[in-house]
Amino acid sequence: MTQLLKVQNFNVSSDGFGAGDDQSFERPFGHADPGKMFAWAGATASWPNRTQPGGSRGLDDYLTRDFANNIGAEIMGRNKFSPYRGPWQDHDWQGWWGDVPPFHTPVFVLTHHERPSFSLSDTTFHFVNADPATVLEQARAAAQDK
């Protein structure tokens, strides 16, 4: 069977939320503490932001090591891309990630407020106001069989 969709980079806390209330520029995860939410990943040997040698091995390490394998496109919600709501006021905002986003694929941002696509490094962000099934079709086409 060919895998058509992979849910990844989605973290849920032990009490059941993926991000906290009151997201802002200063607090991308809202009231949630990302250090606690991602502690399992940061403890692995393959965590890309690891600054010290060591780290755990096993299933958690496999997930962090293999997270980008065979990914051809990403779909994210607007809140993952930006803390801003409503019509885009600032087209200078290009996401949380700086000049080299970690995706290395086309990224489709689900939003009610479209804006022009742009590229940073090898990542192109597309802002789409459509139902999830339509965006999934666009992402599959862009993924080129990945």
Side-chain angles (χ1 to χ4, degrees), residues 83-134:
Y84 303 111
R85 305 296 181 261
W88 294 97
Q89 302 295 319
D90 181 3
H91 285 219
D92 291 336
W93 175 264
Q94 296 186 322
W96 304 101
W97 307 279
D99 293 336
V100 184
F103 308 105
H104 313 292
T105 66
V107 174
F108 294 83
V109 181
L110 287 165
T111 177
H112 294 294
H113 304 281
E114 294 181 10
R115 66 181 266 190
S117 298
F118 66 87
S119 296
L120 292 173
S121 184
D122 58 352
T123 301
T124 299
F125 292 93
H126 304 282
F127 300 85
V128 184
N129 181 7
D131 62 276
T134 300

Side-chain angles (χ1 to χ4, degrees), residues 3-141:
Q3 181 173 325
L4 300 176
L5 175 67
K6 177 181 178 182
V7 176
Q8 68 171 27
N9 297 332
F10 185 75
N11 198 42
V12 178
S13 70
S14 60
D15 52 350
F17 62 87
D21 293 329
D22 301 320
Q23 180 190 39
S24 67
F25 179 76
E26 294 79 19
R27 298 209 37 113
F29 287 87
H31 80 281
D33 179 355
K36 288 183 180 178
M37 289 181 69
F38 293 95
W40 68 271
T44 66
S46 298
W47 183 244
N49 298 328
R50 176 169 287 290
T51 57
Q52 299 174 344
S56 65
R57 296 289 180 179
L59 182 57
D60 288 349
D61 185 60
Y62 173 79
L63 291 172
T64 59
R65 183 180 67 242
D66 197 50
F67 85 100
N69 184 37
N70 205 34
I71 300 300
E74 300 263 347
I75 300 171
M76 70 175 62
R78 179 170 174 177
N79 290 4
K80 182 174 177 180
F81 179 81
S82 168
Y84 303 111
R85 305 296 181 261
W88 294 97
Q89 302 295 319
D90 181 3
H91 285 219
D92 291 336
W93 175 264
Q94 296 186 322
W96 304 101
W97 307 279
D99 293 336
V100 184
F103 308 105
H104 313 292
T105 66
V107 174
F108 294 83
V109 181
L110 287 165
T111 177
H112 294 294
H113 304 281
E114 294 181 10
R115 66 181 266 190
S117 298
F118 66 87
S119 296
L120 292 173
S121 184
D122 58 352
T123 301
T124 299
F125 292 93
H126 304 282
F127 300 85
V128 184
N129 181 7
D131 62 276
T134 300
V135 177
L136 180 58
E137 287 178 30
Q138 294 175 4
R140 281 185 178 150

